[in-house]
Amino acid sequence: MKEGLKRRITFKWRLFLPLVISLWTILVGLALWQNYRDRLYGRTFVEQQLKMVNQRVARAIHNGDWAAVEVFKNFLTDFYTTDSLFDEIRLTIYDSDWSVVDTLGSRIVINTNEQQNVSTEMFERESLTARRANKVSKNNFYLATRTDREGDEYLIISSLPHDNDMEAYIAGQTFDIWMVVFALALAISVVAYISTRHLARNITILRDFATRSAIDPEFVPGNDFEHDELGDIARRIVQIYNERAAAREHTEREHQMALHTIEEKARQKRQLTNNINHELKTPIGVIKGYLDTIIDSPDMDEDTRRHFIMKARDHANRLVNLIADVSAITRLEDGENQISTEQIDFHELAYVFSNDSHESGFLGHFAMEVDIPLGSDIKGNGNLLQGMLMNLTKNAVNYSGGDKLTIEYRGEDDDFYRFAFYDNGSGVPPSSLEHLFDRFYRIDSGRARKSGGTGLGLAIVFNTIKAHGGKITARNREEGGLEFEFTLPKWKA
């Protein structure tokens, strides 16, 4: 039962009810205290009035001026005629034998028992608790004052009836007080409700946030909290939640990317293995065929034998090149971003490569032009970059169908130089551009094998640029020919 009640009473009401009850208790206490003070003031005022009357009469008796007593009695009659509170004032003067000396209004009768208890203090003949509702009992307020005259003692007793008028006067502005208390209590209740509702709103939003975030992984909390200390705390909690959710999402994304990378590398290795197996079978099969024919034909003429041996050697060379390229691309992939680098003037490297290619006859009928400014210092590996240029040149010489090669400077930014390598040949089909850097990709498989290509040259170029932290793209030139644009990092001391 208690647990059910706690679940039903929200934080707002647990905050509102004790606050309002406490404030109401204070207001009621103040009202009761004020009512008590009003009644005390009323009784004190009545007592002072009766005391003033008694003292005036006592002074006249003490002076032996009984005429002044009569004058004062007439004054009281005239003065209080229109006053409903004092219009029934009575006054009785007793001597020491309890004989009535003088009186105003009906005589105040004091019985024998009361005669022994009369003092100079205000007293009531009957308990006030005997009054009921608006009907007040015939209780009276009395005040007794003693005086003497030439050895004779007198007792002056004044009285006022405790009727409805007297009770209303003593009670004071009770109705007004309670009306003020009610108005204040209502105003305080409204203010307290608004305040607690304002405070509880953040708690309610936080509760909904905690509930939804626990059951809805896609939940994105809002930020509509109040602009106060509690709202600041709530916003900070939501910010921490969002940051952690973003961190989890980022970690999950990185995890997926890592898995994808691992799977892609595994796929590429499987593909490389399959391609290597396929590429190895052809030259090995051809070599074995030529050698078997030579062995099985001892009577073969010398020219035919020499022709078969030359063919076997060509395929053996192709096999050696294939193994060398596979080894190169494997080293580049396994040691990506871990190659040894030094300061290299790419202008000098390109010119040396161009001159060596001309002198060795490697270019054949092709001309090579280098347009790179002096001081183009890059951070790179000289052997790998020369191999890259060699593979680009070999690809152009074997397949472009042109007669000119160009290496030129294209621009720079804060971190990289941009270069281009292109020929003036026929280019490649647009559908082949996106596959040029794939391993063992050949536009014309028959022509490629005839020329001795392994299908790994451009893949080695791609991995070389990637290992240096740069990028490379391929496109067909409008003027004709195939262009490779690549970036290499600047040398920074």
Side-chain angles (χ1 to χ4, degrees), residues 410-423:
R410 285 288 178 83
E412 62 183 281
D413 57 27
D414 291 340
D415 298 313
F416 289 90
Y417 287 112
R418 192 168 70 256
F419 304 101
F421 182 101
Y422 58 88
D423 58 64

Side-chain angles (χ1 to χ4, degrees), residues 209-228:
F209 156 70
T211 302
R212 291 194 58 186
S213 62
I215 62 177
D216 184 6
E218 303 298 327
F219 172 60
V220 178
N223 197 25
D224 53 346
F225 297 100
E226 300 293 343
H227 293 283
D228 52 23

Side-chain angles (χ1 to χ4, degrees), residues 29-46:
L30 291 175
L32 293 175
W33 172 252
Q34 183 62 36
N35 183 256
Y36 166 77
R37 294 293 301 272
D38 286 350
R39 294 184 69 85
L40 181 62
Y41 172 80
R43 292 173 64 89
T44 302
F45 179 75
V46 171

Side-chain angles (χ1 to χ4, degrees), residues 134-276:
N134 292 328
K135 295 181 180 180
V136 181
S137 67
K138 294 302 181 179
N139 296 338
N140 290 271
F141 286 126
Y142 297 91
L143 188 71
T145 303
R146 296 183 183 277
T147 187
D148 59 79
R149 167 64 181 170
E150 295 179 354
D152 295 328
E153 207 171 68
Y154 296 90
L155 181 65
I156 305 157
I157 301 176
S158 57
S159 171
L160 280 173
H162 195 162
D163 54 13
N164 289 332
D165 292 337
M166 178 64 72
E167 176 61 22
Y169 176 77
I170 291 176
Q173 305 296 325
T174 304
F175 178 78
D176 294 342
I177 291 174
W178 287 110
M179 285 299 294
V180 171
V181 168
F182 176 77
L184 287 175
L186 183 61
I188 288 174
S189 300
V190 171
V191 172
Y193 179 80
I194 295 174
S195 300
T196 53
R197 184 171 178 268
H198 175 83
L199 292 174
R201 182 173 181 272
N202 290 325
I203 300 298
T204 302
I205 296 175
L206 274 177
R207 181 194 63 191
D208 296 340
F209 156 70
T211 302
R212 291 194 58 186
S213 62
I215 62 177
D216 184 6
E218 303 298 327
F219 172 60
V220 178
N223 197 25
D224 53 346
F225 297 100
E226 300 293 343
H227 293 283
D228 52 23
E229 291 83 353
L230 190 57
D232 293 339
I233 295 173
R235 273 188 291 274
R236 182 56 181 160
I237 292 174
V238 171
Q239 180 184 356
I240 294 173
Y241 171 83
N242 289 335
E243 289 175 352
R244 291 189 175 180
R248 286 195 301 270
E249 182 179 355
H250 179 69
T251 302
E252 180 64 22
R253 188 163 55 248
E254 288 187 338
H255 178 66
Q256 294 298 328
M257 291 175 62
L259 288 178
H260 176 74
T261 302
I262 293 172
E263 292 175 356
E264 181 64 19
K265 285 188 175 182
R267 185 191 66 80
Q268 290 178 357
K269 286 188 176 181
R270 288 194 303 270
Q271 184 182 21
L272 179 62
T273 302
N274 293 334
N275 289 335
I276 290 173

Side-chain angles (χ1 to χ4, degrees), residues 98 110-119 146 155:
W98 292 98
I110 301 298
N111 58 41
T112 304
N113 293 332
E114 290 175 334
Q115 290 175 5
Q116 297 175 357
N117 297 325
V118 168
S119 66
R146 296 183 183 277
L155 181 65

Side-chain angles (χ1 to χ4, degrees), residues 292-454:
D292 287 344
T293 302
I294 294 172
I295 293 172
D296 294 338
S297 304
D299 298 331
M300 182 182 298
D301 62 88
E302 188 62 28
D303 290 339
T304 303
R305 184 186 302 274
R306 181 176 178 80
H307 174 73
F308 281 7
I309 292 174
M310 294 297 292
K311 286 293 185 181
R313 187 183 69 175
D314 290 342
H315 284 282
N317 289 335
R318 181 183 171 202
L319 186 60
V320 170
N321 291 335
L322 176 61
I323 294 174
D325 286 347
V326 169
S327 176
I329 200 168
T330 302
R331 287 197 308 271
L332 285 172
E333 286 185 344
D334 292 342
E336 184 177 332
N337 297 326
Q338 296 179 7
I339 61 174
S340 60
T341 58
E342 58 184 341
Q343 182 179 3
I344 297 175
D345 186 346
F346 198 64
H347 164 85
E348 181 180 350
L349 184 144
Y351 266 100
V352 170
F353 173 78
S354 176
N355 291 333
D356 290 346
S357 298
H358 277 293
E359 293 177 359
S360 66
F362 172 69
L363 294 178
H365 67 281
F366 275 79
M368 179 175 283
E369 180 181 342
V370 177
D371 183 13
I372 298 176
L374 293 170
S376 300
D377 293 340
I378 64 171
K379 178 182 178 182
N381 184 294
N383 292 330
L384 291 177
L385 292 175
Q386 284 185 353
M388 175 197 72
L389 293 177
M390 176 66 74
N391 279 295
L392 288 174
T393 302
K394 185 187 299 183
N395 182 75
V397 169
N398 289 335
Y399 310 120
S400 69
D403 59 8
K404 184 179 179 180
L405 302 176
T406 304
I407 307 174
E408 71 177 18
Y409 167 83
R410 285 288 178 83
E412 62 183 281
D413 57 27
D414 291 340
D415 298 313
F416 289 90
Y417 287 112
R418 192 168 70 256
F419 304 101
F421 182 101
Y422 58 88
D423 58 64
N424 63 344
S426 59
V428 299
S431 60
S432 297
L433 286 173
E434 58 181 322
H435 300 291
L436 286 178
F437 300 114
D438 294 349
R439 300 180 183 91
F440 299 107
Y441 179 77
R442 296 180 177 89
I443 297 173
D444 185 342
S445 179
R447 187 181 68 171
R449 283 192 170 88
K450 184 177 179 180
S451 63
T454 64

